[in-house]
Amino acid sequence: MLLKVFPCIIKHHGSVKYLKYFVSISRQKGSKPRSSSIKILAASSSPVTKPIHNEFDNEKQLKIKDIIRKGDSHFPNTSTSKSSLAEESAHETEIHQHLKPIQSDVITSLSDTSKKETCDAEKESVKLLNTVKPTDLDWRKQVLDVHLLPRHYKGLSKFRLTGLVVITTLAGYGMAPGAFEPITLLCMVLGTGLTSAAANTVNQVLEVPYDSQMARTKNRVLIRGHLTPLHAATFAVCCASIGLSTLYFGTNTLTAALGATNLILYTSIYTPMKRYSIANTWLGSIVGAIPPLMGWAACSGSLSAGAVLMGAILYSWQFPHFNALSWNLRPDYSRAGYRMTSVINPAMCRRVALRHSIGLLVLCSCAPLVDLTTWTFAFDSLPLNCYLIYHSWKFYKDSDTYSARKLFRLSIIYLPALMFLMLVGKKYKKEEKLEEKSS
C-alpha cells in the first residue's frame, strides 16, 4: 500500500476560501483503489499570503509523518485481506483525529488575519474622514466672477446652435428677391441671435433637474452653479426684449412676428413636450424651419413659394440630424425621462431619418420649379443628397453607434454646403439684374 498525502490547496469561490486536505490511499494495480478525503472549510475575507504548512506546529507535523510511516508498515504489498481493511480503517480514523485540531488552528489563524485587516481598513476610513474639515461641509455663498460672465452667457445661449440659426437666417435673406441693405441685414442678425439666445436660456432654466442626469448636459452653467436661475432668467428676458425690438424696428413686423412665434414655440411648447410625447421632434423641426423664413421676410417684406421651400428643406434636415444625434444619447434621454423617438420607438427613428433624407433630394429637385434656383443647383446638389441618403440607409440597416455618428457628422457638413450651392445657383429675376447693373 502506497500512502500519499497531498499539500493543502486553497480555492477561491467568491469571498470564501476552501482549504482542502486530500489524503488518498491507493493499492497496487489490479486491486480496487480506496481513498478518503477530509475537507476543511475556512471562511475568510482576506487571502492567505503564507503557505499553510507554515502554520502547523513542528510537533504536529512529526505526528503526521509518524502516522504515515506506520501506515506503510500496516499495509504491505500483498493481496487484500479483511485484517488489512480493518487496519486501513483504523489508520484513516487516526489521521482524522490528528488533523481535526490542525483544522481549528488554521481557522483561528485565518480569522485573526481577517480581523486584523478589517481593523486596518477601519483605521484608514477614520483617517480619510479626519481629513475633511467641518467647515468644508458648510453652505457657502455663491460668488459671481464678473470676468467669467461672457463665458457663462455664451454657454446659456448655446453659442454653436445660435450660430447655426443665424446662418440659416442669412441663407434666407440671401435667397430672397430683394435689394441688399446692410443696416437691415445687421439688425436681422443681431435680433435673430439675441432671440435664439433667449430661447436657449429659458430652455436650460426649465430643464435643470433633467439636464443634471445627462452626461452631455451635466456640465452646463446652471447645473454647475456658476449662475443662479434668477440671473439666467433675467438674461433671457433682456435678450428677448432687445432681440425682438431690434427685429421690429430694424427690419419689419413680419420678421419680428416670426421671431416671437419661434420663441414661444421653443420655450412654451417644445421644451415641456419633450417629457410627454415623441411629437416634440416634429414640433422642434418646425422651430428649426422658421429662421430662413425670417431672413426672407427681412429682405423682401413678404413670404413666397421659395421661402416655403427653404423652410421645408430645413424642416426635413432636422430629422436625419437630430435622430442620429439622439440615437447615441438614448441612455441619457431615458434616464432623464425625455420621450424621444430613439428611446420610445427606435425603428421609427431610423425610418423617419431615411424618409426625410430622400425627401431632401426631392425638395432640392423642386427648387428650380419655384424659380428659387437654376437647374444647375438640382444637379450640383445631387451627389450631396445621394451621399446623405446612403448614410441614412446605413443607419437604418445597421442601427449602431458608428452609423449614427457618421450620419450626424455628415448632416452638420450637409447644411452649410447645401446653402452655399443654393446661393451659387440662385435664380435672379430681370428686375434684380437691372438693379444690380444700375448700382
Side-chain angles (χ1 to χ4, degrees), residues 12 67-68 112 138 153 166 200 202 254 265 330 379 424:
H12 296 271
I67 293 169
I68 295 171
D112 293 341
D138 293 341
Y153 289 155
V166 171
N200 291 325
V202 173
L254 179 58
L265 283 176
R330 286 177 295 169
F379 290 105
V424 171

Side-chain angles (χ1 to χ4, degrees), residues 206-222:
L206 296 176
E207 293 184 343
V208 168
Y210 317 115
D211 287 346
S212 60
Q213 304 176 52
M214 298 176 60
R216 187 174 69 97
T217 57
K218 66 182 180 181
N219 291 322
R220 285 181 173 174
V221 176
L222 295 178

Side-chain angles (χ1 to χ4, degrees), residues 182-383:
I183 297 177
T184 303
L185 178 65
L186 181 62
C187 291
M188 181 201 68
V189 170
L190 181 61
T192 303
L194 289 174
T195 306
S196 176
N200 291 325
T201 302
V202 173
N203 172 266
Q204 292 189 53
V205 171
L206 296 176
E207 293 184 343
V208 168
Y210 317 115
D211 287 346
S212 60
Q213 304 176 52
M214 298 176 60
R216 187 174 69 97
T217 57
K218 66 182 180 181
N219 291 322
R220 285 181 173 174
V221 176
L222 295 178
I223 297 173
R224 295 296 299 272
H226 297 307
L227 296 177
T228 63
L230 179 60
H231 189 144
T234 305
F235 172 73
V237 171
C238 292
C239 287
S241 302
I242 298 173
L244 293 176
S245 300
T246 304
L247 290 175
Y248 181 79
F249 293 105
T251 58
N252 51 57
T253 306
L254 179 58
T255 306
L258 288 172
T261 302
N262 221 17
L263 178 63
I264 294 172
L265 283 176
Y266 190 78
T267 58
S268 302
I269 302 178
Y270 167 72
T271 298
M273 188 183 288
K274 289 165 66 177
R275 297 184 54 80
Y276 296 102
S277 173
I278 61 173
N280 69 83
T281 305
W282 281 262
L283 183 62
S285 298
I286 295 175
V287 173
I290 290 179
L293 301 181
M294 294 173 61
W296 190 288
C299 182
S300 63
S302 62
L303 298 177
S304 61
V308 175
L309 182 64
M310 288 195 69
I313 290 175
L314 264 294
Y315 175 82
S316 292
W317 172 82
Q318 303 284 333
F319 291 95
H321 172 75
F322 182 75
N323 287 11
L325 171 66
S326 63
W327 185 264
N328 293 333
L329 298 175
R330 286 177 295 169
D332 275 357
Y333 283 130
S334 179
R335 191 183 308 112
Y338 290 125
R339 297 184 65 82
M340 297 298 175
T341 313
S342 58
V343 177
I344 306 301
N345 195 336
M348 179 187 288
C349 175
R350 305 192 309 271
R351 190 166 57 247
V352 169
L354 178 60
R355 286 176 181 173
H356 282 274
S357 296
I358 298 173
L360 284 170
L361 175 62
V362 177
L363 290 172
C364 291
S365 302
C366 293
L369 300 178
V370 295
D371 293 333
L372 182 63
T373 64
T374 61
W375 284 102
T376 306
F377 167 74
F379 290 105
D380 290 343
S381 62
L382 185 61

Side-chain angles (χ1 to χ4, degrees), residues 86-266:
E87 291 176 357
E88 178 184 347
S89 177
H91 179 61
E92 291 180 3
T93 304
E94 189 176 358
I95 292 177
H96 180 73
Q97 291 176 353
H98 282 276
L99 287 179
K100 198 168 184 179
I102 297 175
Q103 172 187 355
S104 61
D105 291 344
V106 173
I107 293 175
T108 304
S109 175
L110 294 175
S111 178
D112 293 341
T113 306
S114 176
K115 290 179 180 179
K116 183 178 179 181
E117 293 194 357
T118 304
C119 293
D120 293 341
E122 291 178 355
K123 290 179 180 178
E124 291 294 331
S125 301
V126 171
K127 288 181 181 179
L128 291 174
L129 290 175
N130 290 335
T131 58
V132 180
K133 300 178 181 179
T135 55
D136 295 338
L137 304 177
D138 293 341
W139 180 84
R140 296 180 181 178
K141 186 177 180 180
Q142 188 175 10
V143 179
L144 178 63
D145 190 349
V146 180
H147 300 287
L148 296 178
L149 274 180
R151 189 172 72 179
H152 296 333
Y153 289 155
K154 180 181 176 181
L156 285 176
S157 61
K158 298 181 183 178
F159 187 75
R160 293 181 181 178
L161 180 59
T162 297
L164 185 61
V165 171
V166 171
I167 289 174
T168 56
T169 308
L170 285 171
Y173 185 92
M175 294 300 298
F180 174 76
E181 296 181 4
I183 297 177
T184 303
L185 178 65
L186 181 62
C187 291
M188 181 201 68
V189 170
L190 181 61
T192 303
L194 289 174
T195 306
S196 176
N200 291 325
T201 302
V202 173
N203 172 266
Q204 292 189 53
V205 171
L206 296 176
E207 293 184 343
V208 168
Y210 317 115
D211 287 346
S212 60
Q213 304 176 52
M214 298 176 60
R216 187 174 69 97
T217 57
K218 66 182 180 181
N219 291 322
R220 285 181 173 174
V221 176
L222 295 178
I223 297 173
R224 295 296 299 272
H226 297 307
L227 296 177
T228 63
L230 179 60
H231 189 144
T234 305
F235 172 73
V237 171
C238 292
C239 287
S241 302
I242 298 173
L244 293 176
S245 300
T246 304
L247 290 175
Y248 181 79
F249 293 105
T251 58
N252 51 57
T253 306
L254 179 58
T255 306
L258 288 172
T261 302
N262 221 17
L263 178 63
I264 294 172
L265 283 176
Y266 190 78

